[in-house]
Amino acid sequence: MRLFFYCILLIFMVNVSCKSKQQTHSNFTKNETTQIIKKPPYLKKGDTVVIISPAGNLFNKKAEIQQAKKLLNGWGLNVVLGKNIFTQNNQFAGTDNERASDFQKAIDNPNIKAIWCARGGYGSVRILDKLDYSTFIKHPKWIIGYSDITAFHNQIHNLGFETIHAMMGISLNENCEFLEENATSLKKSLFGNQLAYTIKSSDYNKLGETTGQIVGGNLTLLHTMLGSKTSINTNGKILFFEEIGEYAYHIDRMLQSLKRAGYFENCNGIIVGDISNIRKNNTHWGTSIEQLILDVVKEYDFPVLFNFPAGHEDKNLALILGRTIELKVNKDNSTVLFRK
């Protein structure tokens, strides 16, 4: 009888141990609560915004930056430029240290209320680990940009603050003007007006309703962050991504990597922005990009919204990353409402 009791006890202990190991295997557990995200102070007339270029250089872009200053001045804001904004170091706007210095000074300056990135390109990831956010945490400010600026969005999200995925300082159309819808959505984001979008539904959409903090950015940058302290946790959140200039199989490979890292396991939904200028090679993929994405997440029961106008096309509406949104993906029209 005593032997039987010990056997039962041993089986119970083994089962508990196995369950414990299974529960700690992934960084994305179902029991994890949504991260508390803070809003930097909204802007008001008379505040100062700095324009910097933490990545690519601004060769022959002085006229575009003057247009950016004119836009912000029209909103009643003061504008200053980073010391190295027009510096050139091969493809970069200065050396890594010069670009990091501009970003650090903008973070630490109490008179600066928002940092508007002039452009993306490549280079943000090279300065991530050079930045000290101790002052930013005490006195946060808005970081604005998209594409390569995703690196900063992810880093600051993990610090617990909202950022703005939106047009940049040189995001002008062929008439050297900012598209009105883009500018209006950015202004609303900065001054605290509620964002709400109605999007014509795609036949590829996966219908449903959900809520959660919206996170993400450029797919290549999300993929680049995997395995680092700048990788984001999508548990209970809605993932947004956009991309430009990639082969279809590259997009599939990056999404498969996110999947293996647990990005979709407890995700509440997906918003797909512009997937632009898909490159062609001798190997034909065989399906649309939309179907490619649906195939990657086919086993997950969350809504998927396609064709949200954010990314590398002319229409690039602002998204407040880290903000809780209400996503309704319907047959005819879908809505994205940002909570106040």
Side-chain angles (χ1 to χ4, degrees), residues 225-286:
M225 300 295 110
L226 288 177
S228 75
K229 60 186 178 183
T230 322
S231 183
I232 52 175
N233 185 340
T234 57
N235 200 36
K237 301 174 185 178
I238 297 171
L239 179 65
F240 162 80
F241 61 83
E242 56 83 25
E243 190 53 86
I244 185 172
E246 292 289 349
Y247 293 110
Y249 79 91
H250 282 187
I251 293 173
D252 183 72
R253 179 166 59 193
M254 289 187 287
L255 289 173
Q256 294 291 351
S257 295
L258 295 187
K259 183 177 182 176
R260 296 185 67 242
Y263 265 52
F264 308 128
E265 194 66 32
N266 298 303
C267 183
N268 279 11
I270 290 178
I271 296 176
V272 182
D274 295 314
I275 308 293
S276 309
N277 299 338
I278 301 301
R279 300 174 69 183
K280 296 181 180 179
N281 61 7
N282 294 331
T283 303
H284 182 57
W285 182 258

Side-chain angles (χ1 to χ4, degrees), residues 34-50:
T34 301
Q35 179 184 359
I36 296 175
I37 302 293
K38 299 178 182 178
K39 303 179 183 67
Y42 290 122
L43 300 192
K44 60 184 184 300
K45 289 186 177 182
D47 283 344
T48 299
V49 177
V50 65

Side-chain angles (χ1 to χ4, degrees), residues 124 128 145-156 163 165 216-223 225 230 232 240 242 321:
S124 298
L128 283 180
Y146 73 103
S147 192
D148 195 61
I149 308 307
T150 297
F152 301 113
H153 290 313
N154 282 205
Q155 188 175 54
I156 295 167
T163 58
H165 183 284
N218 179 261
L219 180 58
T220 293
L221 268 294
L222 295 175
H223 182 257
M225 300 295 110
T230 322
I232 52 175
F240 162 80
E242 56 83 25
L321 298 180

Side-chain angles (χ1 to χ4, degrees), residues 62-87:
K62 290 188 177 181
E64 286 84 346
I65 296 303
Q66 288 304 312
Q67 284 290 85
K69 290 179 66 176
K70 181 180 177 181
L71 177 73
L72 296 182
N73 288 157
W75 297 349
L77 301 171
N78 300 315
V79 183
V80 296
L81 302 181
K83 177 182 177 181
N84 297 291
I85 189 170
F86 295 118
T87 302

